[in-house]
Structure formats: C-alpha cells, structure tokens
C-alpha cells in the first residue's frame, strides 16, 4: 500500500463507502471481462477473517495518470497501474464470473482520515488474512526478444537449480570487459566470448528486474512478508489490435526470489557492486522476516526499520507504520506505537527510540543511527515546522541507509543498564528542548587520522584499466597509510595493525572456532587470514605488473602496501596466501565496510566507523551497548556538573553528540565488558 495520506481520486460518492465496523474491511468483487472491457465490480463489507480474498500488492504510480472503474454503479478513478493489475487479474468470461480482491485505493475511503488511519493499523492482518498476495510488476512492453522482465523471471528459475554453477559462470563478468580488456596476460577465446555475451544479457535482465519500482516500496515488506502465499506477476501488454484476447500471466514465487537474492548478496557481493545490481534491496525485505531455529524472529523491529530505510515512501511516517505487522511491533498485545499522521517524523522517530531505550534498558536503538551529515553540536528546541528535527541519538529512518548494522559478535559492555535515562520532552512541544540521553561508560581513545569514505567499487582487484577508473585507485594502499603510517609511531607492530585492519573491515572476531563475518561467507578465522593475505598479494601483483609494464602513471602508489611491510611479515603473508583466493575476504568485507571509514586513534588502535567520523571524536564503551560508540564533544561546554543518581553525590558528565557505532577489534575481547580491564577512563555522558 502506498501512503494513505494521498489520494489519486476525486472525492467519491459516499454511497460507495459506508462506515466500516471494527476489524472489518471491504473486498472488491471484480467482474470477469476481456482486456478491452471496462473494470466493473462492487464493494462488500466483511470481517478480515471471513470469506477468502486475494490481496493486490502494487505501486500506485502517477496520481494524474488515471483510468475509469465502475464501483457499485458509480464511476470512479484509479491510477493506471492499478487499472492494469485489475485488467490482468480478472478472469476471462469463460473462466468465471467474479474475483474477490483487496486493493487499498479501492477498499479504503481515501477521503476519510479516521478510516485510513484505522485501516493502516489493520494492514498487517489484511495481507496475512488473504488466501494469496498478487504482486503486480506491471506490463511487459516490446517484442519477445526485448522482454527483460520475463527473461529475468526465467533466469532466476534456471539459476536456482544450481546456484554454485551460476555464480561460477557469472564471474567471467568480473574478469573481462565488453571491449575484450582483461587481466594482464588473459585473453577471451571464441567460446569465452560467447559465454561473456550470454552472461551479459542475463545479468542485464536481472539488473532491470530489480530496478522495477515495485521492489523499492516500503509497504511491500509487510505485504509480502505476511502473505500465506505470494507470487510475482507480469504479463505482456495486449496489443491494440488484439484487445479482446486473454492476458497470459507469468508467475514467479516470492520465496524463490528470496533464495536467489540471498545467494547473490552473501556469495557475490563483488558482482553486485560491479554490475550495480539492486537485488540487495530486495534481500533487505527478506531479512526483516528471517526467523531463528525455534521460529522466533531473527530480526527485531528496530533493525527491520534500518533495513527498510532504503525503500521509498511518500510519507516518512510510513517508515514506521508500514511495518506494524512485524511480530515484534506488538508488546503484550498492544502495538508499540499507534499510527498518528499529526506529528512530525522527527517526533515519531524520537518517541519510538525513547520507548525502546526505556523498555529494554539498552542502546540497541542508538546503534542504528546512521547520520547523513555531521550531527548538531548544540542543544536545540523542538520546531513543528522542521520535519526532521530530532536528537543526535535517535535514528532518522527517513535518511537512506548506507551501512550494514554493526552486528559485532563480541559484546563491548553489559547488555543492560538501569542507569540509562532519556530526559526531557519527547512529545515535540514547540519551544521545549529536545530530550537528551544519559549513559555511563569509558573513553577508549581519540581519533587522530582517518581514510576517505570507502565505496564498494573500491574493493575488487581487477586490471589496471578498471583500477584507474575507480574513485580511489589502489584504495588498500591509502588505507594502510592511515592504519600504519611510516612517519609516525603507530603504537603497534605492523602485524598487529594489519590484523586489526583486516578484522575491522569485515567486522571479524578473534576466536578461531567462530565464523569471522556474519555478512559474508562466514569464513573461519584461518580462512580469513588466508583470503586476506591473498587479497594483499593480488593488489601487490597488480601494482608490480603495472610498474614493470610502465603503465598507470599518476595512479600507482610509489610502492605497494606489501613492499612496505617488514620482510618476516611478507613471508607470513606469502605463506598464508599460497593456494588461497581473495574472494572470501572480499565477500566478507564488502557490505560491512561500505560507506564507512578506517581510522587510527592516538594510541595506534585501528578501527572502522561512521562516514561522518572526524579527528577529535572519541571512541567509547557504553554500558547497555554491545557495540563500541563514537561521540563528539559539544561546543561551548565539554562537561557539566549535576546531582548523581542518588541525588547527593556530584558527577561530571561529558556533553556530546552521537556520531555512530564503531569497531575496534583490539578493544573487543570475549567476556571483557568493563573498560577498566583495558585501563580506560570511566565517564558519564550527556548526549544531546
């Protein structure tokens, strides 16, 4: 469903929309007809769990591009996209008389705010209650040889018969260019040229398939995730001279799409980045509904909000309301928050974050902050004219998500802390100060240097032509200069710095019996060492071959990262890389590192953090947070003195803004949740 606050239709006649009883909705009984026949049907009231119906999931599209429909004898208007879905889904006269469908634009009185709000609250039940959800992808235009949607649907079926072979075949696209350019010393045989062209066409279709607007709607997450059965539907648009024929629908099971995007996202991140595929967006939709072995949700409500930030909504408040069908949106039988279209998104998001912090006594909500720009360093007042005004510690779920949630497998501090408090006005009262967050913890260190923002296109090691085309050629060499500068005392050996860097880039752990990364191929610790060493050696080989060929002037570093290492460490890397491939490390680090920065602290610690990190930011260990956090001291007053928890003792609080979660592998050890074990300074924080 698209946002309930907009309507593409003129005010309908009231006779079509009699008031609804609680827990009831309307069903559209669509009469059969040929493609050229008018859309005719009637609206009937029923309890959601009464007679069976199918729910239509679709994109509203251009509100000004409208078509006639006749409902209860009254001519109304719907968008052209819904009209197309109704045309495709109705039975031909010889098949049946009516089809019972639910579609938001028809079944909800879009001119009645109270009804829209109440139906939004029931949306999860409506899609869960349908016998099937029909996901309308739109008409396929053009002749058969140009039907990319249908070709993509066929390819997904074929690919999932043997995913490993499919991935193996697809990697030819990483090794070669359409021009025939390839890695030095490699050429395309005639057979390989045929394979390259075949793979190019198939993945072009996949690229276009996941760029269909349908997959980028926030409401899709709930509509498909709650469905008993869901199918993707597309059809070739009837020709003008064959308007009375039967529409041939093509179907693709939604669970099969889920298995496909999961394989691609976890096993071929480099291919996704290279081809600029958007299948990862659809993977986010599936991640929201993942379950554990015991059947309980694997993805909590707030993390679901983060995964769906990349999806589009007309109204930013629907970031929350479109997920109210999630199993963890209900606590003790009550929704965590009721739909309310009278408050700003900033107030809504702040209330939601504060509610979770107070209820859980942890900072999981705060760990999902992903600032688009620098956080404000001064306390501010609520302003009802500013939709996006909210404190630095509350996630703005309407800004696009660019990072993977920082799910580091080793806890930085205790899971809960009763001392955590949200103080101040969370209702958005005009002129009142924004609420602040009080937490306890330790200062780990201060940032002194950082890299450029890392992009997925920086990571793969290809040939020199592609390297030169990157925004940051030989990015690993430049990142290494930050992690272990030759002209400064880093505080650690090159080996320690190298391992801190490799583990931070993949959110890795330091236990040999655990998988290194949750966001990739889940390598063992030994496999991680070997694949990272192979990755370093691949970059060194590219640099060395380019120097020997006299190519890459202006692009090549003066020397490679490998050459800058001590001789004994070079031998270690050569030994580890022997017989290994860089693919494992590349797949494990692509999503965790995307749009983050590498930084070095004053004592030489190496970490990965938010793209808005700045020198002077402080790495902190906060009670109630499993992740380390980055804070920035506020302007004007770095500390304040106030009454302590017991109301008697005085305490000093560092006044700061929240920057984002961060990873510093050297300061994360299993079982150590007290910063005093590392000699860190205990501090209380007042986060504006």
């Amino acid at each position: 469903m698209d946002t309930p606050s907009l309507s593409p239709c003129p005010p309908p006649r009231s006779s079509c929309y009699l008031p609804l009883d609680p827990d009831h909705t309307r069903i559209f009984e669509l009469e059969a007809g040929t493609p050229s026949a008018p859309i005719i049907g009637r609206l009937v009231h029923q309890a959601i769990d009464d007679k069976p119906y199918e729910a239509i999931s679709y994109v509203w599209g251009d509100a000004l591009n409208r078509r006639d429909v006749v409902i209860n004898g009254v001519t109304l208007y719907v968008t052209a996209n819904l009209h197309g879905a109704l045309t495709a889904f109705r039975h031909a006269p010889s098949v049946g008389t009516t089809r019972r469908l639910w579609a938001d634009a028809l079944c909800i009185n879009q001119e009645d705010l109270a009804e829209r709000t109440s139906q939004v609250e029931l949306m999860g039940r409506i899609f869960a209650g349908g016998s099937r959800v029909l996901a309308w992808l739109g008409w396929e235009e053009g002749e058969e040889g140009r039907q990319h949607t249908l070709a993509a649907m066929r390819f997904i079926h074929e690919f999932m018969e043997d995913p490993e072979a499919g991935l193996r075949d697809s990697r030819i696209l990483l090794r070669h260019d359409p021009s025939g350019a390839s890695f030095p010393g490699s050429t395309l045989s005639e057979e390989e040229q045929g394979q390259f062209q075949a793979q190019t066409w198939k993945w072009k279709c996949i690229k276009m398939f996941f760029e269909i607007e349908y997959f980028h709607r926030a409401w899709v997450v709930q509509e498909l995730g709650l469905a008993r059965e869901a199918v993707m539907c597309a059809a070739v648009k009837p020709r003008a001279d064959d308007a009375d024929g039967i529409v041939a629908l093509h179907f693709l099971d939604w669970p099969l799409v889920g298995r496909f995007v999961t394989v691609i996202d976890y096993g071929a991140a480099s291919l996704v980045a290279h081809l600029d595929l958007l299948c990862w967006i659809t993977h986010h939709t599936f991640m929201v509904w993942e379950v554990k072995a015991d059947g309980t949700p694997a993805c909590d409500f707030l993390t679901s909000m983060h995964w769906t930030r990349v999806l589009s909504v007309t109204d930013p408040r629907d970031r929350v309301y479109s997920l109210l069908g999630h199993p963890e949106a209900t606590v003790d039988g009550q929704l965590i928050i009721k739909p309310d279209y009278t408050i700003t998104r900033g107030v809504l998001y702040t209330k939601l974050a504060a509610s979770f912090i107070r209820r859980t006594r942890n900072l999981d909500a705060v760990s999902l902050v992903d600032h688009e720009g620098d956080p404000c360093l001064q306390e501010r007042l609520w302003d009802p004219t500013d939709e996006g005004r909210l404190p630095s510690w509350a996630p703005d779920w309407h800004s696009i998500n660019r990072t993977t949630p920082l799910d580091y497998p080793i806890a930085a501090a205790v899971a809960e802390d009763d001392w955590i408090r949200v103080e101040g006005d969370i209702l958005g009262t005009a002129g009142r100060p924004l609420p602040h967050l009080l937490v306890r913890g330790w200062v780990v260190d201060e940032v002194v240097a950082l890299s450029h923002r890392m992009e997925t296109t920086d990571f793969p090691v290809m040939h020199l032509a592609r390297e030169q085309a990157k925004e940051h050629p030989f990015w690993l060499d430049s990142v290494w200069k930050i992690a272990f500068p030759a002209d400064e005392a880093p505080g650690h050996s090159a080996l320690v710095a190298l391992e801190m860097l490799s583990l931070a880039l993949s959110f890795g752990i330091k236990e040999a019996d655990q998988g290194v990364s949750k966001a990739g191929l889940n390598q063992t610790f030994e496999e991680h060492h070997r694949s990272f060493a192979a990755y370093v050696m691949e970059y060194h080989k590219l640099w060395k071959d380019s120097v020997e060929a006299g190519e890459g002037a202006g692009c090549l570093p003066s020397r490679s990262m490998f050459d800058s290492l001590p001789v004994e460490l070079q031998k270690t890397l050569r030994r580890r890389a022997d017989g290994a491939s860089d693919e494992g490390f590349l797949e494990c680090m692509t999503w965790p590192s995307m749009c983050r920065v590498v930084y070095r602290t004053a004592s030489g610690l190496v970490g990965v953090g938010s793209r808005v990190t700045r020198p002077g930011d402080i790495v902190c260990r906060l009670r109630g947070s499993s992740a380390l956090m980055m804070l920035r001291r506020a302007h004007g007053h770095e500390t304040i003195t106030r009454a302590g928890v017991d109301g008697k003792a005085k305490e000093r609080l560092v006044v700061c803004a929240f920057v984002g979660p961060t990873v510093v592998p050297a300061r994360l050890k299993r079982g150590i949740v007290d910063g005093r074990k590392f000699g860190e300074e205990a501090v209380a924080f007042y986060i504006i």
Side-chain angles (χ1 to χ4, degrees):
M1 172 184 172
D2 283 49
T3 175
S5 62
L6 292 179
S7 171
C9 312
R13 297 185 183 180
S14 59
S15 60
C16 292
Y17 294 98
L18 299 177
L20 286 169
D21 293 329
D23 298 323
H24 279 60
T25 191
R26 302 182 184 91
I27 300 300
F28 182 54
E29 294 186 340
L30 173 62
E31 294 185 4
T34 58
S36 62
I39 298 293
I40 300 175
R42 66 197 63 82
L43 289 172
V44 296
H45 290 207
Q46 71 167 61
I48 294 173
D49 57 357
D50 195 358
K51 296 178 182 179
Y53 60 90
E54 297 169 292
I56 301 178
S57 177
Y58 70 104
V59 176
W60 275 32
D62 184 357
L64 299 179
N65 186 6
R66 301 184 297 209
R67 302 288 186 273
D68 292 1
V69 296
V70 179
I71 303 177
N72 298 358
V74 177
T75 299
L76 303 177
Y77 303 96
V78 296
T79 61
N81 203 37
L82 178 56
H83 188 275
L86 297 172
T87 301
F89 292 151
R90 65 180 168 185
H91 297 301
S94 60
V95 176
T97 55
T98 61
R99 191 165 192 175
R100 307 187 78 248
L101 301 168
W102 188 94
D104 59 342
L106 292 176
C107 300
I108 299 175
N109 183 356
Q110 299 294 325
E111 299 302 319
D112 186 332
L113 177 61
E115 179 178 308
R116 290 203 316 270
T117 302
S118 65
Q119 290 286 288
V120 165
E121 192 171 326
L122 295 173
M123 203 63 63
R125 290 181 55 191
I126 290 171
F127 276 90
S131 59
R132 183 166 65 160
V133 171
L134 303 169
W136 176 241
L137 302 181
W139 295 116
E140 178 79 291
E141 304 278 359
E143 299 177 357
E144 185 174 352
R146 298 170 58 85
Q147 291 168 7
H148 297 91
T149 300
L150 303 187
M153 294 168 78
R154 288 192 295 269
F155 176 60
I156 291 173
H157 276 289
E158 296 168 1
F159 183 94
M160 292 309 297
E161 291 177 0
D162 189 350
E164 289 188 12
L167 287 177
R168 186 170 57 250
D169 293 343
S170 70
R171 289 196 173 100
I172 194 172
L173 300 178
L174 289 173
R175 297 191 297 269
H176 302 280
D177 286 323
S179 63
S182 59
F183 284 115
S186 175
T187 58
L188 278 171
S189 66
E190 185 174 342
E191 180 181 357
E192 288 173 326
Q193 289 177 7
Q195 293 173 351
F196 184 90
Q197 295 303 322
Q199 288 293 315
T200 298
W201 162 250
K202 291 175 181 178
W203 289 99
K204 176 183 179 181
C205 293
I206 290 296
K207 177 176 173 60
M208 296 179 70
F209 183 75
F210 287 104
E211 288 174 353
I212 293 174
E213 184 182 358
Y214 176 83
F215 294 109
H216 300 260
R217 295 174 51 245
W219 285 98
V220 162
V221 178
Q222 179 170 270
E223 293 167 2
L224 296 176
L226 294 173
R228 300 177 186 178
E229 177 188 354
V231 292
M232 309 286 98
C233 309
V236 177
K237 191 171 186 178
R239 300 195 311 269
D241 59 355
D242 188 29
D244 291 333
I246 297 176
V247 174
L249 277 171
H250 296 261
F251 299 98
L252 179 64
D253 288 340
W254 178 239
L256 184 65
V257 176
R259 293 194 291 275
F260 175 79
V261 296
T262 301
V263 168
I264 298 303
D265 212 20
Y266 285 148
S270 52
L271 181 70
V272 172
H274 175 59
L275 299 180
D276 194 23
L277 303 177
L278 297 182
C279 51
W280 58 272
I281 294 177
T282 300
H283 186 210
H284 286 191
T285 298
F286 282 93
M287 294 171 75
V288 168
W289 303 101
E290 288 180 348
V291 295
K292 301 175 184 176
D294 61 2
T296 58
C299 187
D300 61 71
F301 184 80
L302 292 178
T303 305
S304 299
M305 291 275 296
H306 183 87
W307 285 129
T308 57
R309 282 170 62 168
V310 72
L311 300 172
S312 63
V313 292
T314 306
D315 190 319
R317 293 165 291 195
D318 286 337
R319 300 277 178 207
V320 180
Y321 304 150
S322 66
L323 285 174
L324 291 181
H326 190 278
E328 294 204 350
T330 302
V331 178
D332 298 328
Q334 299 293 321
L335 285 175
I336 53 173
I337 201 158
K338 294 278 188 178
D340 182 354
Y341 289 98
T342 67
I343 60 176
T344 67
R345 82 167 195 258
V347 173
L348 173 62
Y349 297 168
T350 302
K351 288 175 64 177
L352 186 65
S355 174
F356 272 95
I357 292 169
R358 288 168 171 169
R359 183 165 58 85
T360 62
R361 304 190 305 281
N362 66 44
L363 301 176
D364 289 352
V366 182
S367 71
L368 296 171
V369 169
D370 184 22
H371 289 298
E372 279 290 297
D374 287 334
C376 181
L377 297 180
Q378 295 181 343
E379 294 191 81
R380 295 185 297 171
L381 307 179
W382 281 116
D383 180 357
T385 66
D386 185 348
E387 274 287 326
R389 178 159 297 193
L390 70 174
S392 68
W393 50 265
D396 183 356
W397 282 291
H398 195 52
S399 65
I400 187 171
N401 80 316
R402 300 184 186 277
T403 56
T404 299
L406 203 161
D407 187 16
Y408 201 83
I410 298 177
V414 293
E416 299 176 357
D417 186 14
D418 291 334
W419 197 83
I420 295 173
R421 297 196 298 281
V422 175
E423 294 186 345
D425 177 58
I426 65 170
L427 301 179
T429 307
R432 294 283 301 277
L434 270 64
H436 56 265
L437 179 66
L438 290 173
V439 296
R440 296 184 297 176
W442 299 266
V443 173
V444 175
D445 210 343
E446 182 173 315
V447 174
V448 295
L450 65 152
S451 72
H452 53 72
R453 191 180 86 173
M454 298 179 288
E455 307 290 348
T456 55
T457 51
D458 292 338
F459 305 145
V461 186
M462 301 179 187
H463 50 76
L464 183 60
R466 285 194 183 163
E467 199 68 37
Q468 289 175 304
K470 292 179 180 180
E471 184 175 353
H472 304 292
F474 290 88
W475 79 278
L476 185 61
D477 296 83
S478 62
V479 165
W480 178 243
K481 292 176 182 177
I482 297 297
F484 198 79
D487 56 345
E488 298 180 32
H492 297 285
S493 70
L495 176 60
V496 171
L498 198 65
E499 293 192 344
M500 282 195 293
L501 175 63
S502 74
L503 290 168
L505 288 170
S506 61
F507 294 175
I509 65 175
K510 279 187 168 289
E511 272 67 24
D513 60 338
Q514 298 287 333
V516 172
S517 173
K518 290 186 176 183
L521 297 178
N522 203 26
Q523 299 183 109
T524 65
F525 189 57
E526 180 182 353
E527 289 170 340
H528 170 81
H529 272 326
R530 288 169 51 79
S531 63
F532 177 66
Y535 187 69
V536 174
M537 297 306 301
E538 284 286 350
Y539 255 120
H540 177 63
K541 183 178 185 302
L542 175 58
W543 177 86
K544 185 177 179 181
D545 289 344
S546 301
V547 170
E548 292 176 352
E551 300 174 335
C555 166
L556 295 177
S558 57
R559 65 172 177 168
S560 75
M561 167 189 172
F562 180 80
D563 279 343
S564 72
L565 301 174
V567 174
E568 287 304 312
L569 183 50
Q570 291 182 10
K571 291 179 180 178
T572 298
L573 290 179
R574 287 188 187 278
R575 184 176 64 253
R576 289 178 177 178
D578 185 30
S581 167
D582 67 336
E583 289 178 1
F585 175 73
L586 187 59
E587 302 304 341
C588 285
M589 59 81 69
T590 295
W591 299 135
S593 297
M594 176 183 68
C595 294
R596 287 189 160 99
V597 300
V598 170
Y599 62 82
R600 187 181 77 259
T601 70
S603 65
L605 298 174
V606 178
V608 167
S610 165
R611 62 187 176 278
V612 298
T613 301
R614 299 286 181 267
D617 289 348
I618 50 177
V619 181
C620 302
R621 187 187 309 270
L622 305 181
R623 295 174 60 89
S625 172
S626 62
L628 294 175
M629 300 293 199
M630 190 80 74
L631 304 176
R632 186 172 300 166
R633 295 179 179 87
H635 290 317
H637 44 252
E638 294 186 356
T639 61
I640 60 176
T641 302
R642 53 171 285 156
V645 178
D646 59 7
K648 299 177 181 179
K650 297 289 184 179
E651 62 187 7
R652 291 174 61 81
L653 286 80
V654 176
V655 181
C656 51
F658 186 76
V659 175
T662 184
V663 168
V664 181
R667 288 296 177 89
L668 290 163
K669 303 290 185 182
R670 195 172 299 282
I672 299 181
V673 294
D674 188 326
R676 289 175 297 182
K677 299 287 186 180
F678 292 103
E680 297 165 2
E681 177 191 3
V683 177
F685 299 96
Y686 178 103
I687 307 176
I688 60 177

